[in-house]
Amino acid sequence: MIVLYNQSMTFSNHRQIGRPREFDMEQVLDAAVLLFRERGYNGTSIADLRAAMGLTAGSLYKAFKDKRAIFVAALDRYLAIREMALEHRLNEARTGRDKILAMLRSYADVSHGLEGRRGCMVLSGLTEVDTFDEALAHRLFQALAGNEQRLTRFIKQGILDGSLPSRLDARVSARYLLCVVEGLRVLGKRGAGADEINMIVEQAMRALE
């Protein structure tokens, strides 16, 4: 099982030449990610972030301009970890159908239990910032569009390699699967169990037969 959020997962931290930071950027962003996932953008205050990230006010504002800047950096971190988990699943898939199943299972892994209840940073962000921050909303919509484009490629590959029927409309089917993927995250936030989530994945795959 791939866990979406794991603080032992680290990435290269490109720091500016000069005086080193007094904190680990990845660790403080990990803390911010958890807070934004659990409370949402509007429900998270600067004071909440400072406490969770373990930073003084001075250190926080030296690294980030404001709450929005923290959210953007945390979102990048969140998406990078999510991408790594997904690529791990996809490395074992060969056909287009296998890749779709791998992607659905990757999202199923984080749509139940504690991970499921923490929710999706992209979805929660969209429901909150769409009305007051067009640029940030666009960034979140791009993340969804990237998933849809990936699913479209997998469906087209499956049609070509014979693992999926040629009657499928790649664009429409990809949009359907995107709805399934994001729906899994919503159900996970509501406390859905692993069996329920896995049955939905199986049903989605049957819809492609």
Side-chain angles (χ1 to χ4, degrees):
M1 173 177 174
I2 301 300
V3 177
L4 169 63
Y5 190 82
N6 185 335
Q7 292 190 9
S8 66
M9 292 179 176
T10 58
F11 297 84
S12 298
N13 188 19
H14 300 289
R15 298 184 176 181
Q16 296 179 348
I17 296 174
R19 183 179 178 182
R21 288 195 181 100
E22 298 174 353
F23 58 88
D24 186 298
M25 180 61 79
E26 291 173 354
Q27 289 183 0
V28 300
L29 288 179
D30 286 344
V33 166
L34 278 179
L35 206 58
F36 281 125
R37 289 178 63 195
E38 292 173 351
R39 300 187 185 184
Y41 184 84
N42 293 328
T44 301
S45 69
I46 283 288
D48 295 331
L49 287 164
R50 192 159 59 83
M53 297 163 82
L55 298 179
T56 64
S59 294
L60 187 145
Y61 284 112
K62 283 180 182 178
F64 307 99
K65 179 181 178 181
D66 50 23
K67 185 174 81 168
R68 184 186 188 280
I70 299 173
F71 183 84
V72 170
L75 177 64
D76 287 343
R77 172 74 170 161
Y78 173 80
L79 293 175
I81 293 174
R82 185 74 209 116
E83 182 68 17
M84 189 172 72
L86 180 55
E87 287 299 325
H88 182 84
R89 279 279 195 180
L90 291 174
N91 284 339
E92 302 174 0
R94 294 293 176 265
T95 67
R97 186 183 189 282
D98 289 344
K99 290 179 180 179
I100 292 169
L101 179 57
M103 187 168 176
L104 293 182
R105 283 178 173 167
S106 180
Y107 277 90
D109 287 344
V110 294
S111 296
H112 60 84
L114 177 60
E115 275 298 302
R117 289 191 297 275
R118 283 173 172 164
C120 173
M121 194 171 172
V122 174
L123 286 184
S124 66
L126 275 174
T127 59
E128 294 182 294
V129 307
D130 190 32
T131 58
F132 68 86
D133 193 325
E134 184 178 349
L136 186 51
H138 178 69
R139 194 181 187 98
L140 294 164
F141 276 118
Q142 282 184 314
L144 292 182
N147 277 341
E148 184 175 348
Q149 291 164 7
R150 193 195 306 257
L151 287 165
T152 301
R153 291 197 305 272
F154 293 163
I155 293 167
K156 289 180 177 179
Q157 178 184 340
I159 292 172
L160 289 174
D161 65 32
S163 61
L164 293 174
S166 59
R167 61 173 176 77
L168 288 178
D169 182 309
R171 186 183 64 83
V172 173
S173 298
R175 183 65 58 88
Y176 160 73
L177 290 173
L178 180 66
C179 291
V180 171
V181 164
E182 302 309 327
L184 291 177
R185 304 311 307 274
V186 173
L187 290 174
K189 187 71 174 177
R190 292 178 56 192
D195 289 344
E196 179 182 357
I197 294 296
N198 289 326
M199 284 191 293
I200 294 170
V201 170
E202 292 170 4
Q203 179 59 41
M205 293 306 298
R206 284 195 290 270
L208 299 178
E209 294 175 356

